[in-house]
Amino acid sequence: MRFGFTTGTCAAAAAIFLTDKKICDFVTVKNLDGLEFVLKIEREDENFFSVIKDSGDDTSDVTNGIKIFARVEMLEGTGEIFFENGGGVGTVTLPGLKISVGEMAVNPVPRKMIELAVREIIPKNSVKITIKIPDGEKIAQRTFNPRLGITGGLSILGTSGIVKPMNEKALLDSLSLELNMINALGFRDVYLTFAFTGEKALRKIFSLTTRNVIQAGNYIGYVIDEALRLNFNKIKICGHPGKLLKVAAGSFITHNKISDGRLEALCTHLALAGAERGLVTKIFNSNTTNEAIKIIHENNFDFVWNNIAGIISKKCAERTFNKIKFDVFFIDSAGEILGSFYDE
């Protein structure tokens, strides 16, 4: 299936500023791993450039086909790159996200991609980058932005620069093929993560260079079932609480339209660990799992991640009739281990 581009990649392409009057039909941008993407670019009014977002074969992406605009202005002297909201881009109003309250909802990876793209053309000058998305506020009502406290428009997202298609049958077939490949290579253990960011963190944490890593997406239960069919001995799961807490709550499909229970599971295990009612209530009312992570750390309850990792290991093993052992690792957004459980 055909991959597409994230809003972050589109914004980076639109932000490339050409100092002469010649406008190219296509521009090349890189993600943080050095992969190059070629996107069509158009000149708009007021020195804005635009890119039409192409989500590939991901038919569920509500931002597919929208135009993302960017304008780059050189300021006096050398210095920083500043971002300005030209309309249709959301603003963060609640804590717990990767961007501070009051800032434009442009996540760290696309920010860096945009900065790298611009610095290839303007190495040292202080620069102002204006991003706008027409109808962004209207489209954002069909996303989870309102629930996350992001108001006024869409988020500029992305961790790898690409959008992977989410056709369920094709994805499940791909997961089966990948597990068969890992099995054919002779591996009896497999590392399971949910997506690109998790795999990157996993490989760094364990200094891992082998091929026995699989990205399960939202289908951890399917991967576990296939691993049982192929007689794997152990699965080592590495993931952010935003996904793993759903497994702790008993959900083996982690898509946000199907399951949640993250904060409920977390509050249950905090209460079992002796947390006072006030702390449990504060966690339950957290805006995001990242905010909950911070509150737990501030109240010296970090050990609860080890407890929950053990519960996840038990639930996963039970799904395989205890024929596969599970090691579980919670990681935070920086790729650091929050807690773990080893089934020896």
Side-chain angles (χ1 to χ4, degrees):
M1 299 185 73
R2 191 169 61 89
F3 284 17
F5 302 110
T6 62
T7 48
T9 298
C10 294
I16 293 179
F17 179 82
L18 304 179
T19 55
D20 58 18
K21 299 297 183 181
K22 183 179 179 181
I23 304 302
C24 297
D25 289 333
F26 296 89
V27 295
T28 300
V29 294
K30 295 180 182 179
N31 71 0
L32 300 191
D33 291 312
L35 293 176
E36 294 186 343
F37 311 118
V38 179
L39 291 86
K40 183 176 175 61
I41 190 167
E42 297 179 2
R43 179 86 178 240
E44 303 286 347
D45 295 335
E46 305 176 64
N47 293 317
F48 273 95
F49 294 84
S50 71
V51 171
I52 295 176
K53 184 180 177 187
D54 180 357
S55 300
D57 288 331
D58 185 0
T59 57
S60 66
D61 188 349
V62 299
T63 63
N64 183 47
I66 68 171
K67 267 191 175 184
I68 298 174
F69 294 74
R71 180 178 64 204
V72 178
E73 301 171 80
M74 284 191 291
L75 307 176
E76 292 186 5
T78 61
E80 300 178 44
I81 291 179
F82 301 95
F83 287 85
E84 183 170 284
N85 193 341
V89 181
T91 300
V92 177
T93 65
L94 295 175
L97 301 179
K98 295 179 181 179
I99 302 299
S100 300
V101 171
E103 292 191 30
M104 284 174 62
V106 183
N107 272 13
V109 170
R111 277 177 187 258
K112 189 65 176 178
M113 286 179 63
I114 293 167
E115 289 170 357
L116 289 173
V118 170
R119 283 305 184 204
E120 287 188 4
I121 310 299
I122 308 171
K124 295 181 180 179
N125 279 77
S126 183
V127 174
K128 181 173 75 172
I129 301 171
T130 304
I131 300 173
K132 67 177 181 179
I133 305 175
D135 296 324
E137 186 169 6
K138 181 179 178 181
I139 298 168
Q141 298 305 311
R142 297 162 59 194
T143 73
F144 280 89
N145 276 12
R147 289 177 56 184
L148 296 174
I150 298 173
T151 63
L154 290 164
S155 305
I156 304 295
L157 302 172
T159 56
S160 63
I162 56 176
V163 175
K164 292 186 177 181
M166 294 299 291
N167 178 281
E168 186 174 64
K169 184 180 185 305
L171 180 57
L172 296 181
D173 288 346
S174 297
L175 291 172
S176 295
L177 287 170
E178 190 169 0
L179 275 176
N180 274 288
M181 178 272 294
I182 293 171
N183 185 55
L185 289 173
F187 291 104
R188 306 314 312 141
D189 294 358
V190 62
Y191 289 84
L192 184 155
T193 186
F194 292 93
F196 174 82
T197 303
E199 179 173 348
K200 188 175 181 181
L202 183 154
R203 290 189 176 279
K204 181 181 178 181
I205 289 168
F206 299 105
S207 301
L208 194 66
T209 59
T210 52
R211 295 287 298 275
N212 58 330
V213 179
I214 186 165
Q215 294 182 22
N218 290 308
Y219 299 98
I220 181 173
Y222 181 84
V223 171
I224 290 172
D225 295 345
E226 286 292 276
L228 175 63
R229 178 179 66 83
L230 293 168
N231 297 313
F232 280 92
N233 295 327
K234 175 171 277 193
I235 298 178
K236 301 175 183 180
I237 304 173
C238 186
H240 188 273
K243 288 290 187 181
L244 274 180
L245 283 172
K246 294 183 180 182
V247 183
S251 298
F252 285 91
I253 298 178
T254 59
H255 195 286
N256 53 30
K257 291 183 178 179
I258 296 174
S259 66
D260 198 353
R262 293 165 297 169
L263 295 177
E264 289 83 353
L266 184 52
C267 287
T268 296
H269 291 286
L270 279 169
L272 290 171
E276 294 181 355
R277 181 174 180 175
L279 175 58
V280 174
T281 301
K282 193 172 183 180
I283 294 295
F284 186 76
N285 291 323
S286 296
N287 185 45
T288 65
T289 47
N290 281 331
E291 183 182 356
I293 291 169
K294 183 179 178 181
I295 295 170
I296 287 170
H297 178 68
E298 291 171 348
N299 286 272
N300 299 314
F301 268 86
D302 289 326
F303 65 88
V304 77
W305 299 114
N306 296 333
N307 299 352
I308 304 174
I311 294 298
I312 293 169
S313 174
K314 182 175 182 292
K315 285 183 179 291
C316 291
E318 288 173 348
R319 188 178 176 99
T320 69
F321 308 100
N322 294 310
K323 291 183 178 179
I324 299 179
K325 292 185 176 182
F326 290 82
D327 294 343
V328 178
F329 307 89
F330 276 104
I331 57 170
D332 62 17
S333 296
E336 301 294 330
I337 293 178
L338 290 168
S340 61
F341 177 85
Y342 294 84
D343 188 0
E344 302 297 343

